[in-house]
Amino acid sequence: MKHPMIVLIGPSAVGKSSFLDRALSESELNLYDVVTYTSRAMRPGEKDGVHYHFVSQEKFEQLKEGDFFVEWALVHGNYYGTPKDQIREAWGRGQTVIMDIDVQGAQSVKRLYPQAISVFLMPPSVDELRQRLIKRGPAGDLELRLENAQREMALADHFDHVIINDEFEAAYKEFRKIVEKASQNQ
Ligand code: 5GP
């Protein structure tokens, strides 16, 4: 049984969801996007069970104690965790698992699943990232997110691929090739 996995990493607002949405719309890639769990509040437009499974901090802690997660992390002061069951089920269906998690999570996942291919999505500059964060809407934690972004960007070399998300189509093409290869090689 093949167990292909792609981990998409990169700072908040770098464009990870556009890559994911596009890749998921291409059914021949046969991807399964893990819906991770978080204790953060829902943002306008987000849906429970779609963007995340939104749970209370207490519930998250229960799940964590119950060995429900492959990995979990505290990001921007909130809990985030990747559930084991969805990964198992997706592989059982012959799909390639894809997930959008933070750098700490990606490092834990790589330790557990050495075949996982990690792709770091990099903004063209910190200034451009700031603009994208501002455009995305009221984020009281803008400075915190920018600080974390710079810390994450300093770790980019630890991952298998780095893609600069300047021009979307060109960057996506590069990403798609990596996904195809990861799915075929397992
Ligand atoms: P946001 O709050 O902007 O949706 O996400 C904040 C960060 O949490 C993003 O970098 C995202 O990749 C990361 N994240 C989402 N789910 C998980 C998860 O299950 N585990 C880890 N480690 N990080 C996650």
Side-chain angles (χ1 to χ4, degrees):
M1 172 83 66
K2 296 178 176 182
H3 291 155
M5 179 181 271
I6 306 281
V7 185
L8 184 57
I9 345 148
S12 209
V14 71
K16 285 173 290 181
S17 22
S18 308
F19 276 62
L20 264 178
D21 290 348
R22 175 72 169 272
L24 291 167
S25 75
E26 300 197 48
S27 55
E28 66 274 24
L29 292 176
N30 197 19
L31 298 174
Y32 177 77
D33 176 24
V34 177
V35 181
T36 61
Y37 283 64
T38 184
S39 66
R40 86 150 158 73
M42 226 187 273
R43 293 193 193 117
E46 285 184 330
K47 274 203 185 114
D48 186 30
V50 176
H51 296 91
Y52 286 103
H53 290 287
F54 292 94
V55 293
S56 64
Q57 186 166 329
E58 196 186 7
K59 176 73 184 168
F60 193 101
E61 281 164 0
Q62 272 173 21
L63 291 169
K64 177 159 81 66
E65 297 312 313
D67 207 22
F68 182 74
F69 298 116
V70 172
E71 63 75 36
W72 62 271
L74 258 177
V75 186
H76 314 135
N78 295 302
Y79 281 126
Y80 293 83
T82 310
K84 291 180 178 168
D85 54 353
Q86 291 179 40
I87 295 176
R88 229 182 3 243
E89 288 161 16
W91 280 338
R93 292 188 297 267
Q95 293 182 287
T96 296
V97 168
I98 190 162
M99 50 197 173
D100 160 4
I101 58 180
D102 82 316
V103 292
Q104 311 165 64
Q107 284 165 334
S108 312
V109 163
K110 279 286 272 191
R111 273 193 294 274
L112 275 167
Y113 305 112
Q115 81 276 23
I117 300 294
S118 51
V119 181
F120 192 100
L121 205 53
M122 185 76 107
S125 67
V126 174
D127 251 10
E128 173 63 27
L129 186 67
R130 179 189 291 272
Q131 293 314 316
R132 291 183 193 177
L133 273 166
I134 292 169
K135 222 196 264 167
R136 195 160 83 164
D141 52 3
L142 174 69
E143 291 309 321
L144 178 64
R145 281 176 187 264
L146 270 175
E147 232 173 76
N148 285 341
Q150 290 179 70
R151 204 169 327 131
E152 291 191 346
M153 282 156 68
L155 296 173
D157 285 351
H158 294 226
F159 300 101
D160 299 311
H161 301 273
V162 177
I163 298 179
I164 298 172
N165 186 18
D166 192 354
E167 202 276 303
F168 177 78
E169 285 303 327
Y172 178 74
K173 223 173 170 180
E174 216 180 308
F175 177 65
R176 194 186 193 286
K177 265 195 213 144
I178 296 168
V179 174
E180 275 185 320
K181 186 153 181 267
S183 305
Q184 284 157 7
N185 278 355
Q186 308 274 321

